Amino acid sequence: MPSVPKNSYFVMVVERFSPLFIAVACIVIAIAEREWVTQQINGGRISLDGLFSAVFGWSAIQTGFVFSVFGFVATKTTGFIGEISRTHAMRIFHRYTWRAMVVGFLLTLYSIPLMIWKFDVNQTVQYYIVVFWFALFGWAFASFLRVALNFGKMVSVRDVERIPG
C-alpha cells in the first residue's frame, strides 16, 4: 500500500463524512436555538414558504446536474476519466454521485408537501419536521458540493491530443 501523508487521511475523512457532519450540525443547532428560530419565523424574518420553494427548485436542478455527471463519467471510456474508470477512487466517486442523486431526489419529494402545508413551528412535531427537512438540505448540499468539486478536478485534467496543432 502506498504511503499516504497524514493530512491526507484528515482530508479523506472530511470529504467522506462532511455531508453527515453538516446534517447533524443542522439538527444540533436547530435544537439548541429553537426559541430564536421560532421567533424569526413567527416574526416574519424567515419565510418558510420561500425557503421551501427555493430548496425545492435547487434540489430538483441539483439532482439533474448530478445525474448528468453520473452519466458522463459512467459512459466516458477515453482520456483521463477512461484511464481511472476502474480504480478504487472512481468507485468512491460513483458512490458519492449515487448518494447525491438519491438524497437530492428525496429532498425534492420531501419539499413538495412542505410547500403546501401551513406550519406552526411552535408545535414540537411540526418544528422537527422542518428541522429534519433542513438537515436533509444540508446533507444534499454538501453531497452535491463534494461531487461537483471532485468532478471539477477530474475534468480539469486534459486528455492527450492525438493530432497536435
Side-chain angles (χ1 to χ4, degrees):
M1 183 169 163
S3 175
V4 178
K6 288 184 181 187
N7 65 343
S8 293
Y9 289 116
F10 175 74
V11 170
M12 289 186 307
V13 167
V14 169
E15 178 183 89
R16 182 172 181 184
F17 294 106
S18 60
L20 176 62
F21 291 151
I22 290 173
V24 169
C26 288
I27 293 170
V28 168
I29 292 168
I31 290 170
E33 296 296 327
R34 180 176 179 182
E35 184 178 326
W36 181 84
V37 172
T38 55
Q39 287 174 354
Q40 300 305 305
I41 293 169
N42 292 333
R45 290 176 290 282
I46 294 176
S47 166
L48 281 182
D49 294 339
L51 187 60
F52 294 151
S53 180
V55 170
F56 170 78
W58 175 84
S59 64
I61 292 168
Q62 171 248 288
T63 303
F65 171 81
V66 173
F67 185 73
S68 298
V69 166
F70 184 78
F72 175 81
V73 171
T75 60
K76 182 125 168 83
T77 58
T78 61
F80 175 72
I81 293 177
E83 291 295 319
I84 65 169
S85 65
R86 304 245 186 265
T87 65
H88 179 68
M90 186 57 88
R91 283 190 295 280
I92 291 171
F93 180 74
H94 279 285
R95 192 176 319 132
Y96 289 166
T97 307
W98 176 253
R99 287 178 185 166
M101 280 190 303
V102 169
V103 75
F105 181 72
L106 292 174
L107 180 62
T108 303
L109 290 179
Y110 195 166
S111 298
I112 292 170
L114 299 185
M115 293 188 302
I116 298 167
W117 293 333
K118 183 70 177 162
F119 279 87
D120 179 4
V121 291
N122 295 317
Q123 294 183 14
T124 301
V125 171
Q126 292 185 28
Y127 181 78
Y128 285 109
I129 288 171
V130 175
V131 166
F132 287 112
W133 169 82
F134 196 75
L136 186 63
F137 166 66
W139 188 311
F141 186 79
S143 296
F144 166 78
L145 191 58
R146 176 174 63 187
V147 168
L149 292 173
N150 281 303
F151 182 67
K153 288 177 190 176
M154 288 190 308
V155 297
S156 69
V157 177
R158 293 178 44 95
D159 289 341
V160 176
E161 291 184 27
R162 303 227 185 263
I163 303 173

